[in-house]
Amino acid sequence: MTEAAVIATDQLTKQFDDYVAVDRVNLEVRPGEVYGLIGPNGAGKTTLIRLLAMASSPTVGDIYIDGQPLLRNQPNADIKRRIGYLPDDFPLYDDLSVQDYLEYFGQLYYLKPAQLNVRVTEVLALVSLENKRHSVISALSRGMKQRLSLARTVIHQPRLLLLDEPVSGLDPIARIEYCETIKLLQKQGMTILISSHILSDLEDFCTTIGIMEQGRLVESTRLQSLYRREGQQLLIAVLDNNAASLEIYLQEHPLVSGYERLEKSRSGQAGKLSVTFTGTEAEAADLLRILVTEGIRVSEFHYTQETLEDIFVRLGYRRTS
Amino acid sequence: MANWIEQLGDRNPQFLRECRGRLKPRSVMAAVGLSLIFQFLLYISTAEIGTAIRVSDQLNICRTLTFVIPYGLFVLGGYYLVDDLAKEEKSGTLNFIRLSPRPAFEILLGKLLGVPLLPVILIVIATPLHIISGLLGGVSPQWFLSYYLLVAAGSAFVFSLALLFGIVGSRSALGKQQALSAVGFAGLALIVIAPAFMTWNSFVTWRAFGAASPLFDEFNAAAPIEWLYLPVAANSLVAHLFTIGNLVIATLLVWRILLRKFRVPQATLVSKRLSYIGVFYVNVLAWGFSQSGALSAEMSLAGAVFLLVLNAFVFLGLIFALAPSRQMLLDWLRYRQHTLFDWIWNDSSPSVLAMAINVIIAAGLIVPWLLISDWPISDRGSTNLLSPVPILLATLSIVTNVLIYTTLVQIIFSMRLRSPLIWAVGIVATFAFVPLTIIAILTNGSSDRSGLMIAVWTFLGLPFWQASELGNVSIGISIGWLMQFVVLLLLLTRLARNLKQLASHKQTVSTP
């Protein structure tokens, strides 16, 4: 746990009867990060976000926001002012106008009258709802309501934004617009923790990724590190009598974290290998040069970058199995 | 105007939100129109058209409105509040308000003041007619001051209760039907709260006004009420202090529960600490009325019976209000300390010991009073001291009986059931009332006064039984109590087994 972390948890656990929804999670999110939380349904993402937002209290464990501990069954008003929480459902007050709704939440978060009007204008511009300022909420479309919910979440300029499945149910265009808005918020310096099943979106703006499975945070790493460690694949095919030398060489290479035989040669050795490579593209080129120098006759050499989705599926499968 | 609204929003955004949501021109016009139509109908039904209105007619209009105002406020205001809270809880919007940094008190106060605005407008429009007709009918201005002060204090209590009903009711299995819970509270206000408010004030608070009160004719015959020999009804100032003081205490108790349930919806309804204070307060208040020079021995005995019945209802409520849910028990058993202090004060610990303490608090007040007072129990009509042995045995039996139901409810709450509250209410109601009713029918009421029948009645929860011989009473109650004690032991064994099983369930983290 570092003092500078916006979110830090220590052995955070939430247990419902015998079911452990969040299991001894030690999470750390640093200032300015966009932390993407991924995992299969029922992995505990929503429960973890609810715990961080104080919508639920932990069974055991501690939460620190900006180094300040959340106190059980206490108002924690000072910390609440720093958090913006958007749950996966977004209930609104249908009887209010967009402006009245945003003003109400601004006032709930102690925005002064002078700030209020400015902030309402700013957040409406952020979510492109300026022309709906005086519309009644019940008259808005689902996408608009979802954007209004985001506007409500950021009206008080929180330091930490907790977004639980914010783009679920949106059409592709609305989803892209929504993601652009999140990028804007990131540029404004907000620390964001977001859960989503649409990994291509997260890949676009997340700096860090956490993978949850059965309540455990099984992976928490910078996205670039994850790509380097798990996401780069080399496809190497060699001639028959060179297969054994290649395998020996790969086993000793520091940038190779593993390999898988795809086709066997006539001699029973690896003819074609899928290699998990943690180096850069230039280092892959160096590897090819060295193989050739060592006298290994390479017939195919491909360098590919896996998507987050591919990595997640592969890692998820690996861990579950 | 805009500046004023901004300031209001800054001070209490919840109140401003309610005003914006409710004070739509059409709704306000409807409320004003309804109020005016009602007043017009009242006027033409009382006064003769074409002739000058008489003083008695003016008084009748005032008297009718004196009843209509609190009934309207309590019933309609209560309905609006319960309905609003239930709607917010159901839609999930209440969670956002909970997560805001504003204090819970401020939010709930905004609700309390803002949600019943339309019923308040409806009533406020009727106040000029109420006051003018009353003044013309001979009612004193001071009475109006008292009346509106009491209506305000009564509304604060009723609206707080409605908020609590809304928050608690909407989360319970029964309260999922939001309209049903709102109608339920409105019914309670109409049948119990508003009549009790009007009866008490007419008998006590406004008694000193004499004929200057519009309700004097209806209530002047009753003997003035005393509390701890203090003639609360005789002096206007004392009567007001007493009434408003108790309304304030009751409202504060409701707010303690309200704030707790708003902040932590999963918490037990009442904390153990508050239950001890509440039981003491209710018993002192009720017992005080039996300490009166104006009461005959028979009426004092009726007072004692009333006190016992009142406590039966209080404890019946507390059995459910104090029992922690299965999840709370699990967390407590897995991760908390289990000291004696914890059993007495920690709200997540089983409620059995806390209920025993509550019964002892009540018994500590009632039993010595029963033992040292003279009671009209002899056949010759004179008064006598009660024999201490049956009284003490009966007390023991009542304590055991309360603990039986407490343990039973705690066992049900510790089980994995879909709606444990409904199961608990059903089982307790069945065990508490069905056998008693059957025995009453089979034995033709109270005709059999043998020791055996006293034992049976005691076992079923009614240890006070007049017998032809004193010996029968003591032996009967003793046998009945022994049977209860065996049942309690069996239930406690079962509860201990359940708790042990829960504690042995999967624990992910070592106890801190």
Side-chain angles (χ1 to χ4, degrees), chain A residues 15 17-18 93 104 107, chain B residues 14 88 102 326-327 335:
Chain A
Q15 200 163 350
D17 217 309
D18 278 350
Y93 292 109
Y104 166 52
Q107 285 159 341
Chain B
Q14 192 60 44
E88 288 233 31
R102 291 273 177 179
R326 177 181 163 89
Q327 186 61 50
Y335 302 114

Side-chain angles (χ1 to χ4, degrees), chain B residues 118 135 175-176 186 192 207 245 277 440 507:
Chain B
L118 289 175
L135 291 175
K176 298 253 161 71
V192 180
R207 190 183 177 89
I277 298 169
Q507 181 173 335

Side-chain angles (χ1 to χ4, degrees), chain B residues 364-397:
Chain B
L365 189 74
I366 301 169
V367 173
W369 171 55
L370 289 176
L371 291 176
I372 60 170
S373 302
D374 285 333
W375 299 99
I377 50 165
S378 76
D379 293 339
R380 291 183 293 275
S382 59
T383 58
N384 269 323
L385 287 175
L386 290 172
S387 305
V389 176
I391 291 284
L392 292 173
L393 281 171
T395 307
L396 207 56
S397 164

Side-chain angles (χ1 to χ4, degrees), chain B residues 286-306:
Chain B
W287 173 74
F289 290 113
S290 58
Q291 306 309 301
S292 163
L295 291 183
S296 63
E298 283 78 12
M299 284 175 80
S300 280
L301 189 62
V305 173
F306 169 75

Side-chain angles (χ1 to χ4, degrees), chain B residues 2 7 85 104 117 151 153 166 213 218 242 358 364 419 433 446 482 506:
Chain B
Q7 283 199 346
L85 261 294
L117 269 175
V151 167
S213 159
E218 294 171 38
F242 187 84
N358 274 314
S419 303
F433 300 114
S446 59
L482 272 175
K506 192 173 155 198

Side-chain angles (χ1 to χ4, degrees), chain A residues 45-61:
Chain A
K45 303 183 297 294
T46 295
T47 310
L48 177 60
I49 293 178
R50 281 176 57 80
L51 290 172
L52 298 173
M54 287 171 268
S56 173
S57 55
T59 308
V60 276

